[in-house]
Amino acid sequence: MFLQLTLSGVSQGAIYALIALSLTVVYRSTTIVSFGHGDFVMAGAFLTYVLVVAIGIAFLPASLIAIVAMFLLGVAFSRGLIGPIRGGPHVGLALMSISFGFTLRGIARTVWGREVLPMPRVFDIDPIFIGSVVITGDALFIISIVAVLLVVFFTVLHFTDIGKMVQAVYQSERGARLIGIDVERFHNFSWGLGAALGAVAGVLIAPISLLHPDLGASFLIKGFAAMTLGGFGSLAGAVLGGLLLGVAEQYSGAYIDTTLIDITAYLLIIAVLLIRPRGLFGRKVVVKV
Amino acid sequence: MHDVLLKITDLHVSYGKKAILRGASFDVRNGECLTLLGANGSGKSTSMNAICGFVKPVSGSISLNGTELAGKGPHTIFKQGVAQVSQARDLFPDLSVEDNLRLGAMQRGKGKAAQVLADIYDRFPRLAERRRQATRTLSGGEQQMVAIGRALMSSPLILLLDEPSGGLSPQFCEEIATIMDQLKSEGVTMLMVEQNLNLAFRAADRFIVLRDGQVVDGGDVAAMAGDHDAIVRNIYL
Ligand SMILES: Nc1ncnc2c1ncn2[C@@H]1O[C@H](COP(=O)(O)OP(=O)(O)OP(=O)(O)O)[C@@H](O)[C@H]1O
Ligand SMILES: [Mg+2]
């Protein structure tokens, strides 16, 4: 029972980790909290759905196309809508991000109404039994994809020159300009990467959940809860926070009350802010909104 | 005839409505060290930042070997061979000394990076000892060496130094002066802002004075030797 719950929690948490990481990528590079990020997740899932169901492309190529498309959309958003107001008040940047998210949501809604769309099953991997623990094909798929992505992400960040340049921009934007880095282009790329990572999360949840235009909202909150728990702005903290949140939801649902699953994220945010505002790996708690 | 490397003509720079530079003009010649003097707030750092593209000039020309830089982005100007050691240093505090230095050559001078890095460690043995240390753990003087080293990594055509001795002890000022002597003997062109007049005049070939947004005075350091008082009066009164 306990192991089974932990496994489900990690599988769910892997998605939260990805979303929290994608939010943090944007936040660390641009200091903007991307309030529209849940809708990038939704758009990634919907795009995959359209490509698979309406156009008939296989799931893997469809998801790759969706992820690349979301990367380009993120870059376009940064160049077209954030770029012109960068340097302005922070609340304007946050509002721009919210408005763009709701626009994506609106587009999804005009096309699909309020229908809830089931995605055809993609992976018919037989579940694996280890003792009394069942590992479903979906869980295996999600956990391994996220694990590979995280290993690649953190290896690049810490052990390559490109990663060192990214850290450099994070630590001093002026310093980065002094060594000839095109910081505006870096911001655009970060929005693209953030949107693409969010889209990966969307692709991963598409086959296992019902799709609807508002699904981004709850994932956004899970992402914020994971960031808060891990320490707002910390990349590793976002990942750990996501995994812990996933597991916490399962435990509280099973051992206390199933209704708790839905509000674990909110309770966690409240508790962390009161008890340890800087989270597990907290840097400064200054969040400009 | 000296050949001019950097030519600033009728430069106007403002922050919002506040005009800082109002028609400043001066040249930096190949291989020389030119010192820019002026009172606090006279626009010395602003001049440096305008040359680097950190602030966009309202009008005027900044030409490097005949290439117009005014209006270009900082990364483009850097690639043309302009590197600045800024007043605040702007290092990467959590990265190691070596990473800070190596990053200086990522966008320019990559081919020569290994050789230049070895040269910098020769020049600053203290940095070689601390190469794996996070830069934030270094003393102010050591950090200034990293900042100078990082700028040199790109093998710039011109090195801008904004108060290299700022906040440093006399002993460190002496080290900085020695380094500048070496750079000059190697033919590196430098434009320096420096309040410490001993350092300013020891390293510089010529000086100019910025006042009310314009270059009001200048001359040969050698010709003014011993007459620092006259210059000081000129700048600050
Ligand atoms: N980013 C900015 N926004 C608005 N005003 C600025 C900005 N940077 C500088 N200033 C103003 O421009 C003027 C010139 O500043 P600058 O830093 O160029 O002076 P400076 O000659 O380098 O002085 P110091 O000797 O103190 O370093 C100052 O009055 C300063 O307040
Ligand atoms: Mg200054």
Side-chain angles (χ1 to χ4, degrees):
Chain A
M1 170 77 168
F2 176 77
L3 279 179
Q4 186 70 57
L5 286 171
T6 309
L7 185 76
S8 318
V10 168
S11 161
Q12 192 66 27
I15 306 245
Y16 301 159
L18 210 50
I19 295 171
L21 182 67
S22 66
L23 277 162
T24 306
V25 163
V26 172
Y27 174 69
R28 281 294 292 279
S29 335
T30 65
T31 71
I32 300 172
V33 180
S34 171
F35 285 101
H37 220 80
D39 301 298
F40 286 141
V41 177
M42 180 276 296
F46 262 82
L47 261 178
T48 313
Y49 176 88
V50 171
L51 293 170
V52 171
V53 175
I55 305 185
I57 301 175
F59 178 75
L60 275 183
S63 45
L64 284 180
I65 296 173
I67 291 162
V68 171
M70 290 309 294
F71 175 85
L72 296 176
L73 186 69
V75 171
F77 169 69
S78 171
R79 292 178 62 139
L81 299 181
I82 293 291
I85 59 167
R86 187 170 286 142
H90 244 82
V91 65
L93 299 166
L95 284 174
M96 188 64 96
S97 161
I98 294 175
S99 308
F100 187 67
F102 271 88
T103 307
L104 290 179
R105 216 181 279 197
I107 293 171
R109 205 171 281 150
T110 47
V111 179
W112 288 280
R114 290 178 190 278
E115 253 178 279
V116 172
L117 307 170
M119 177 98 163
R121 290 210 49 82
V122 183
F123 293 103
D124 277 326
I125 309 171
D126 286 333
I128 302 171
F129 294 88
I130 301 177
S132 61
V133 180
V134 189
I135 307 176
T136 64
D138 294 322
L140 201 62
F141 179 66
I142 291 174
I143 293 172
S144 32
I145 294 279
V146 173
V148 169
L149 271 182
L150 291 179
V151 168
V152 170
F153 181 90
F154 284 99
T155 306
V156 169
L157 184 66
H158 288 288
F159 301 107
T160 68
D161 286 346
I162 300 272
K164 292 275 161 66
M165 278 200 258
V166 171
Q167 292 187 55
V169 188
Y170 287 172
Q171 290 174 28
S172 168
E173 221 170 88
R174 259 185 68 91
R177 289 208 165 86
L178 284 171
I179 58 165
I181 292 177
D182 184 345
V183 173
E184 274 65 44
R185 238 179 82 192
F186 177 81
H187 283 166
N188 296 337
F189 174 81
S190 300
W191 274 103
L193 182 64
L197 285 174
V200 174
V203 165
L204 291 176
I205 57 175
I208 54 163
S209 50
L210 299 170
L211 302 184
H212 56 99
D214 293 315
L215 73 85
S218 71
F219 280 104
L220 181 69
I221 291 296
K222 310 282 168 129
F224 283 159
M227 288 172 86
T228 311
L229 179 59
F232 217 91
S234 158
L235 295 162
V239 171
L240 202 75
L243 293 174
L244 288 174
L245 172 63
V247 173
E249 282 184 350
Q250 295 298 317
Y251 291 163
S252 62
Y255 296 126
I256 308 174
D257 192 313
T258 45
T259 54
L260 271 179
I261 292 184
D262 287 334
I263 57 168
T264 304
Y266 302 96
L267 295 179
L268 206 65
I269 292 179
I270 294 171
V272 172
L273 289 180
L274 288 179
I275 298 165
R276 191 183 160 85
R278 41 187 208 97
L280 296 173
F281 292 87
R283 307 168 69 86
K284 276 177 285 171
V285 250
V286 191
V287 180
K288 288 178 273 179
V289 170
Chain B
M1 256 302 278
H2 303 268
D3 49 339
V4 170
L5 178 65
L6 184 75
K7 185 166 189 61
I8 314 270
T9 319
D10 198 24
L11 193 65
H12 289 256
V13 177
S14 309
Y15 293 113
K17 285 201 172 68
K18 192 169 150 208
I20 307 295
L21 296 186
R22 286 174 269 184
S25 302
F26 60 93
D27 295 343
V28 187
R29 300 166 188 163
N30 261 313
E32 78 166 341
C33 176
L34 178 69
T35 295
L36 180 56
L37 300 171
N40 289 118
S42 58
K44 304 182 296 297
S45 296
T46 303
S47 305
M48 301 293 231
N49 289 331
I51 294 168
C52 288
F54 286 17
V55 281
K56 296 255 180 288
V58 178
S59 64
S61 157
I62 302 166
S63 143
L64 180 79
N65 266 339
T67 309
E68 185 57 46
L69 301 182
K72 296 224 172 86
H75 57 281
T76 313
I77 293 173
F78 180 86
K79 288 209 180 82
Q80 297 282 333
V82 180
Q84 183 186 185
V85 178
S86 63
Q87 198 167 359
R89 299 189 191 119
D90 300 300
L91 296 171
F92 311 119
D94 296 335
L95 292 180
S96 68
V97 167
E98 182 140 319
D99 281 339
N100 266 273
L101 293 172
R102 282 188 329 106
L103 282 168
M106 291 290 166
Q107 306 295 325
R108 185 189 147 92
K110 220 168 180 168
K112 282 193 281 174
Q115 182 54 46
V116 180
L117 184 65
D119 289 349
I120 287 171
Y121 282 147
D122 278 348
R123 234 192 282 270
F124 307 111
R126 314 167 69 107
L127 296 189
E129 289 162 29
R130 293 162 174 77
R131 63 174 84 188
R132 308 246 167 273
Q133 226 165 297
T135 313
R136 79 183 121 73
T137 62
L138 268 53
S139 78
E142 290 160 355
Q143 292 193 14
Q144 186 63 282
M145 292 176 180
V146 178
I148 295 174
R150 185 178 69 176
L152 289 174
M153 284 296 290
S154 64
S155 308
L157 298 179
I158 181 165
L159 182 66
L160 311 184
L161 295 146
D162 197 345
E163 305 208 16
S165 79
L168 302 187
S169 67
Q171 180 212 334
F172 261 117
C173 288
E174 187 51 38
E175 280 194 49
I176 301 276
T178 314
I179 291 154
M180 296 194 58
D181 288 346
Q182 283 174 10
L183 290 175
K184 245 182 60 186
S185 68
E186 292 160 22
V188 177
T189 307
M190 287 179 276
L191 171 61
M192 169 170 74
V193 169
E194 185 53 69
Q195 308 267 16
N196 175 339
L197 288 186
N198 283 328
L199 179 60
F201 288 114
R202 194 181 130 180
D205 301 295
R206 291 190 307 132
F207 69 92
I208 51 175
V209 176
L210 198 59
R211 182 196 261 173
D212 299 326
Q214 296 193 328
V215 175
V216 292
D217 200 358
D220 254 36
V221 168
M224 302 291 288
D227 201 9
H228 291 186
D229 284 355
I231 297 168
V232 171
R233 251 177 280 128
N234 198 339
I235 302 169
Y236 299 106
L237 299 182

